[in-house]
Amino acid sequence: MKVSSYTAASTIPAKLFCDKSLIDDILENKYIRPTHIQINPTNKCPLNCSFCSCKNRDRSLELSLVDILDMTNKFRQLGTKAVTITGGGDPLAYPHLKAYVNCLYDNNIKVGLVTNGILFDRLKDLSFIEKFTWCRISLSGEYDFSDIKFEDVIKKYKTDWSFSFVVNKNFSLCKLIRAIQIANENNFTHVRLVEDIIGENNNTMESIKDELRYAHIDDSKVIYQGRKQYTKKGHKRCLISLLKPNIGPDGNIYACCGVQFSKDPPALDLDANDSMGSNIEDVWKSQKYYDGSKCKKCYYSDYNNLLNIMLDANKLNHKEFI
Ligand code: SF4
Ligand code: SF4
């Protein structure tokens, strides 16, 4: 399993090397296109997790269907190839989810979904799941998912399924083992263990790994992602803001999906004052990247370092002497 297939934060962005036209655009035209959009269509969510990265959000905020389609059309014209529908809240609570997924699919835009899966039970038609490239269900020890029928959904609809499992003060080994068993039985791509970024937690990845092995659990699909590494200052030229922006339910463009942690103390919300505004054409036409020098915590320095090197590569002398 190639871990960098499934996670972006605190990793060298290997996928940047997979798109030759993107590289050419950056090196030769000094242009970074919004290749991958992360969109938070609604702030509604049936849960209230203690570790929620958007705890302080206005739960009533939601994009209208007209706005989300209009924005996506603009991004498509700028070269967007993939959209991750995420939160904020839970995308399954978004009333226009099916129409939106169909629109992305019909326009040859790859689509992924992050959800807690609670509302699978309540939606009548879930056939749109087959249009996802992947679907990741977020679990934790904080709620009992044994009653949720998502196993029926997983078995019925084909996509690249995965779990993420937050390790926090309410960690439950039994629940994690059940999640790994479901993943192993249903050919999941991976189970990503993530440490709670904001709260206390006494469980280390090493101790969990030991316990799983002691219990003879096949953990070959598990990605042990300890507390993510971050830098204590963001990049002034935050170029990831042009490559994979994060769209809030207020219609504003945010520089990254970790911007709610970037202040001290963290805002735990997408604050419009820290957005890049909502004028999509203007941001990309003028390449108005976000000034990340005000960020106190950044999980995407590897992306920004590499993008900055690429953008300035033609200024180097003696290029042949590699
Ligand atoms: S499921 Fe996600 S969006 Fe909902 S409260 Fe939990 S962490 Fe927040
Ligand atoms: S500099 Fe700030 S906005 Fe840019 S990636 Fe880092 S945390 Fe996000």
Side-chain angles (χ1 to χ4, degrees):
M1 175 174 51
K2 290 263 182 257
V3 173
S4 47
S5 293
Y6 307 120
T7 182
S10 315
T11 59
I12 302 288
K15 288 180 193 170
L16 262 180
F17 301 108
C18 298
D19 185 340
K20 191 170 176 308
S21 70
L22 173 69
I23 296 171
D24 285 349
D25 254 355
I26 298 174
L27 293 179
E28 284 162 28
N29 304 326
K30 309 288 157 221
Y31 181 80
I32 301 175
R33 71 171 96 109
T35 308
H36 172 201
I37 305 302
Q38 296 172 88
I39 196 154
N40 305 244
T42 183
N43 269 351
K44 290 180 196 150
C45 178
L47 292 180
N48 197 11
C49 306
S50 69
F51 50 82
C52 184
S53 63
C54 289
K55 233 184 210 175
N56 298 335
R57 70 192 185 279
D58 169 359
R59 285 184 169 243
S60 66
L61 266 185
E62 188 160 275
L63 284 166
S64 71
L65 183 60
V66 170
D67 285 348
I68 201 169
L69 294 182
D70 178 55
M71 294 175 82
T72 305
N73 188 38
K74 287 175 180 157
F75 280 121
R76 185 185 60 80
Q77 289 174 11
L78 291 167
T80 295
K81 293 187 170 173
V83 171
T84 294
I85 308 175
T86 184
D90 177 24
L92 290 186
Y94 185 52
H96 313 298
L97 182 62
K98 184 179 166 192
Y100 185 47
V101 172
N102 286 338
C103 165
L104 292 169
Y105 187 80
D106 291 346
N107 282 286
N108 290 322
I109 296 175
K110 304 261 192 226
V111 51
L113 182 83
V114 180
T115 175
N116 53 41
I118 303 277
L119 298 175
F120 279 148
D121 273 359
R122 292 182 226 165
L123 295 175
K124 286 198 188 94
D125 178 11
L126 289 169
S127 55
F128 60 86
I129 290 175
E130 302 239 348
K131 296 183 175 171
F132 297 137
T133 302
W134 54 266
C135 180
R136 191 172 75 224
I137 301 174
S138 314
L139 304 175
S140 75
E142 289 203 350
Y143 72 96
D144 184 8
F145 54 86
S146 59
D147 292 339
I148 302 168
K149 300 270 185 303
F150 57 58
E151 275 189 82
D152 297 348
V153 178
I154 288 160
K155 287 188 195 314
K156 188 166 178 189
Y157 299 106
K158 286 200 175 23
T159 185
D160 277 355
W161 289 101
S162 61
F163 283 135
S164 67
F165 197 106
V166 175
V167 178
N168 74 336
K169 60 180 192 286
N170 299 315
F171 175 69
S172 157
L173 185 67
C174 292
K175 288 178 185 168
L176 173 63
I177 288 176
R178 184 64 200 126
I180 295 172
Q181 286 168 336
I182 294 171
N184 288 344
E185 285 158 15
N186 292 282
N187 201 25
F188 274 34
T189 57
H190 63 287
V191 177
R192 191 171 59 156
L193 276 185
V194 284
E195 259 187 86
D196 177 8
I197 296 180
I198 49 177
E200 292 300 314
N201 164 40
N202 293 325
N203 301 282
T204 66
M205 290 294 146
E206 280 309 313
S207 67
I208 294 171
K209 192 185 284 189
D210 286 348
E211 291 193 74
L212 288 176
R213 294 203 172 148
Y214 185 72
H216 300 292
I217 301 299
D218 172 6
D219 68 346
S220 55
K221 289 185 185 291
V222 178
I223 297 173
Y224 294 91
Q225 188 174 303
R227 199 162 279 247
K228 292 182 198 164
Q229 299 300 310
Y230 62 87
T231 50
K232 289 186 178 164
K233 194 167 172 35
H235 215 293
K236 180 162 181 56
R237 240 179 14 167
C238 173
L239 298 176
I240 197 174
S241 64
L242 298 174
L243 181 74
K244 45 181 285 178
N246 187 26
I247 310 305
D250 57 359
N252 282 318
I253 306 159
Y254 293 87
C256 76
C257 60
V259 77
Q260 60 275 45
F261 299 115
S262 67
K263 290 180 178 169
D264 189 17
L268 301 184
D269 191 12
L270 294 172
D271 181 345
N273 295 320
D274 297 324
S275 81
M276 298 156 73
S278 58
N279 191 332
I280 295 167
E281 290 102 333
D282 182 47
V283 167
W284 272 272
K285 194 173 153 210
S286 313
Q287 294 284 282
K288 285 186 187 163
Y289 55 80
Y290 185 70
D291 177 357
S293 58
K294 56 190 129 175
C295 299
K296 303 266 187 291
K297 205 178 240 191
C298 177
Y299 293 95
Y300 292 102
S301 291
D302 286 331
Y303 267 85
N304 275 331
N305 288 336
L306 182 60
L307 288 166
N308 273 275
I309 289 169
M310 289 170 77
L311 210 62
D312 293 337
N314 68 346
K315 294 179 189 160
L316 299 172
N317 293 326
H318 300 181
K319 294 191 187 73
E320 298 77 9
F321 292 81
I322 291 175

